[in-house]
Amino acid sequence: MSSFFVPVFAFFAIATFAVGRAWATDPGALQVIASGTSTSNESSEDIPDENFSLMVMGDFNRDGIADKAVAILPARNRSGPAVLTVLLGQANGIFKQIPSNLVLNHAPRSIVIGDFNGDRLPDLIVGADDGSLLLFLGDGTGRMAPAGDIAHLDSVVSIVVADFNHDNILDIAVTDWRASLVTVFLGSGNGLFHHAWSSPLRMPGTVPHVAAADFNGDGILDLAVVYEDDEGGTFEVMLGSGNGTFTYAPELSFVRDPNSHCTT
């Protein structure tokens, strides 16, 4: 086993069970990115006790107090779509829900925050199990406006936000468990994204989570993928080229028999 295993697996143990960190080009915008399908029973005095599957934090109304956006699944004994709601933080530690709820028609799997249209206001991208990547644009008051599907995959498991091609515009990398792919979309700075690169993953039939960091110390962001339901500690590292494409690095990866978890 590579000596790289311990630090990488420790790093991804956090991401796999739902919480990672990233920073946008605007250092004033805190981004805590929740990814995956873990649930909690956190509640606020302003909303009913629901199952919160995903949450991301940022200052959505520019008052210097952390707010949160939550993709809310229906309560266990109810049916219906998931909804996206924003709760504004108050100075006393309470969160107050904004009246409007945005419908998420399919099961959300990942939510990320960043300024995706260049107006220096926090926006959201929600990835769903049906493969949609829905963009919601913030207006600076905490309200979000749906801006359509920026791309469509077979499924979405996790999303990581970073500047992969050094143009000071946020890009995203997305894992897809149905197609067993990791895909990079480069941002245009106006809310649009274009496909830059995809790579097949080596553990089909498992649930892949992605994160970005400089793993080989060359100053260029790389990608690594771990698998939620793999007990063998498999991880894959892809080294960045600086233009949004990546090359698999077997010497930095640890991959068991790729068929050992294949469900087909």
Side-chain angles (χ1 to χ4, degrees):
M1 181 182 298
S2 167
S3 61
F4 190 66
F5 172 81
V6 174
V8 169
F9 188 75
F11 175 73
F12 284 109
I14 300 173
T16 300
F17 290 99
V19 181
R21 283 185 173 277
W23 288 263
T25 52
D26 179 1
L30 171 65
Q31 300 184 61
V32 181
I33 299 172
S35 178
T37 56
S38 64
T39 58
S40 71
N41 291 320
E42 179 183 358
S43 61
S44 165
E45 66 178 19
D46 298 290
I47 59 176
D49 185 15
E50 304 276 0
N51 296 322
F52 291 2
S53 63
L54 298 168
M55 181 181 72
V56 66
M57 300 193 73
D59 186 1
F60 293 108
N61 62 344
R62 300 180 293 178
D63 64 355
I65 301 173
D67 312 309
K68 58 186 178 181
V70 184
I72 305 176
L73 296 175
R76 291 184 180 90
N77 60 346
R78 300 178 188 173
S79 61
V83 296
L84 176 66
T85 189
V86 174
L87 296 96
L88 299 179
Q90 311 298 302
N92 60 1
I94 299 298
F95 289 88
K96 184 176 181 180
Q97 184 185 13
I98 289 181
S100 63
N101 286 326
L102 299 168
V103 174
L104 303 171
N105 290 324
H106 303 283
R109 295 296 301 271
S110 185
I111 181 171
V112 292
I113 182 175
D115 176 17
F116 299 116
N117 65 343
D119 63 359
R120 300 185 69 81
L121 299 174
D123 311 309
L124 298 170
I125 294 175
V126 179
D129 191 59
D130 73 329
S132 61
L133 285 164
L134 299 175
L135 175 64
F136 296 88
L137 298 178
D139 67 356
T141 70
R143 289 177 172 79
M144 294 284 164
D149 200 346
I150 64 174
H152 204 95
L153 303 172
D154 288 350
S155 64
V156 173
V157 175
S158 70
I159 309 169
V160 64
V161 179
D163 180 7
F164 293 120
N165 60 343
H166 301 285
D167 63 355
N168 294 320
I169 297 173
L170 292 180
D171 313 309
I172 59 173
V174 185
T175 52
D176 177 345
W177 72 267
R178 287 193 177 94
S180 194
L181 289 174
V182 57
T183 298
V184 170
F185 296 96
L186 296 181
S188 300
N190 58 0
L192 300 177
F193 291 79
H194 66 273
H195 176 273
W197 172 87
S198 292
S199 178
L201 299 174
R202 289 159 179 80
M203 292 292 289
T206 59
V207 181
H209 295 260
V210 65
D214 179 7
F215 293 112
N216 62 344
D218 63 356
I220 299 173
L221 284 176
D222 311 310
L223 296 176
V225 175
V226 293
Y227 298 92
E228 181 177 306
D229 43 3
D230 173 45
E231 297 177 357
T234 295
F235 59 88
E236 300 179 46
V237 176
M238 295 94 166
L239 297 179
S241 64
N243 63 2
T245 65
F246 298 79
T247 302
Y248 175 59
E251 71 280 6
L252 298 180
S253 304
F254 177 73
V255 180
R256 300 184 301 110
D257 177 1
N259 297 314
S260 63
H261 275 259
C262 185
T263 58
T264 59

